[in-house]
Amino acid sequence: MTETTGSTATPESGNPEGADGAAETTSTEGSGKRGNREKKSGKRAKKGLFARIGLFYRQIIAELRKVVWPTRGELTNYTAVVVTFVVVVMAFVAGLDYGFSKLSLWVFG
């Protein structure tokens, strides 16, 4: 299976976050004065509540489309491997428990 990692692209822009650094806020006079900042413009402007919720769900759908879903056969195979491994580990732990209980009964009588 292959997977894509590290993608922070938004469905609207197709660019990673921060790639359009020129559109970020800039100061008009001097540096360090809070009152002189320009309002954010473009895609980085603050959006309303419903717009942000809509963007969130669009990003969820976009990420789910990138997922490589297993076939029914692969899913059955993976499930069988996990169940078998769990049963083997359970048997091993049960054997250790039984052995230690018999040992402690023999030592402490």
Side-chain angles (χ1 to χ4, degrees), residues 10-11 16 32 46 55 64 72 94 97 99 105:
T10 59
K46 184 162 180 163
L55 175 64
L64 284 175
R72 184 176 294 271
D97 183 46
L105 186 63

Side-chain angles (χ1 to χ4, degrees), residues 64-95:
L64 284 175
R65 286 186 180 142
K66 294 178 190 177
V67 173
V68 179
W69 297 99
T71 62
R72 184 176 294 271
E74 290 173 337
L75 185 62
T76 304
N77 190 22
Y78 297 155
T79 303
V81 167
V82 168
V83 169
T84 303
F85 179 76
V86 168
V87 167
V88 168
V89 170
M90 281 176 42
F92 178 72
V93 170

Side-chain angles (χ1 to χ4, degrees), residues 4-71:
T4 305
T5 59
S7 175
T8 58
T10 59
E12 295 83 23
S13 66
N15 296 330
E17 289 184 35
D20 55 344
E24 301 275 336
T25 59
T26 58
S27 179
T28 57
E29 295 178 18
S31 60
K33 294 184 179 180
R34 290 184 175 196
N36 292 336
R37 292 201 178 240
E38 291 180 5
K39 187 174 182 180
K40 291 183 179 181
S41 62
K43 293 178 182 163
R44 300 289 182 204
K46 184 162 180 163
K47 298 176 183 175
L49 176 66
F50 292 111
R52 286 183 285 158
I53 292 172
L55 175 64
F56 177 71
Y57 282 110
R58 281 194 306 274
Q59 288 175 345
I60 289 173
I61 299 297
E63 289 298 321
L64 284 175
R65 286 186 180 142
K66 294 178 190 177
V67 173
V68 179
W69 297 99
T71 62

